[in-house]
Amino acid sequence: MALIIGSTALHELFPDKVRSPKDFDYFGRETVLPVGIAPADTKIEPFWHDSFEGTQLDRNGFATLDELYTIKVSHAYWELKNGSWDKHMCDILMMQDLGAKLDMDLHKLLYS
């Protein structure tokens, strides 16, 4: 299972409005993806937590706009080590402009 998230999923939804992805983020148990899922020479960043088992995050495909927005909001509370907080805030505002809505059940899962 691999639910594609981050800039790759956002670019899939809005290719004309979103920057080209520099990495390939996904939720999934597998740390090695089948050949052809992620572009060659792309930094692959998997993430999985056992609490995702059996939830909407436990599937194949691309995350929805609301899921991407909720994921982004769920980790916007902290200053990140890579200094990307400003980028995340810009992404949140852009997704709001695109009509994104917060999924409170998903937010609770991600924030807890």
Side-chain angles (χ1 to χ4, degrees):
M1 292 282 185
L3 180 64
I4 301 165
I5 59 172
S7 57
T8 300
L10 198 56
H11 190 264
E12 177 75 13
L13 293 170
F14 302 99
D16 297 335
K17 298 182 191 266
V18 179
R19 67 188 173 274
S20 294
K22 295 180 181 175
D23 59 9
F24 188 90
D25 301 304
Y26 70 95
F27 290 144
R29 290 176 207 84
E30 296 82 16
T31 56
V32 177
L33 293 173
V35 173
I37 290 183
D41 299 326
T42 301
K43 182 179 178 185
I44 297 175
E45 298 188 26
F47 182 80
W48 184 255
H49 190 274
D50 288 339
S51 66
F52 297 171
E53 183 87 33
T55 71
Q56 69 195 75
L57 302 178
D58 190 10
R59 68 179 201 274
N60 286 321
F62 289 92
T64 67
L65 176 60
D66 290 346
E67 289 169 335
L68 294 170
Y69 175 72
T70 302
I71 293 164
K72 197 63 90 162
V73 169
S74 75
H75 60 273
Y77 305 104
W78 304 283
E79 181 67 35
L80 302 173
K81 291 179 186 176
N82 63 2
S84 62
W85 189 86
D86 290 335
K87 178 186 78 74
H88 288 296
M89 291 303 104
C90 288
D91 289 345
I92 285 170
L93 293 172
M94 184 254 317
M95 285 188 262
Q96 287 174 346
D97 288 344
L98 293 170
K101 303 289 184 235
L102 191 68
D103 179 329
M104 285 307 297
D105 291 332
L106 177 57
H107 186 272
K108 289 175 190 172
L109 173 67
L110 294 167
Y111 190 69
S112 60

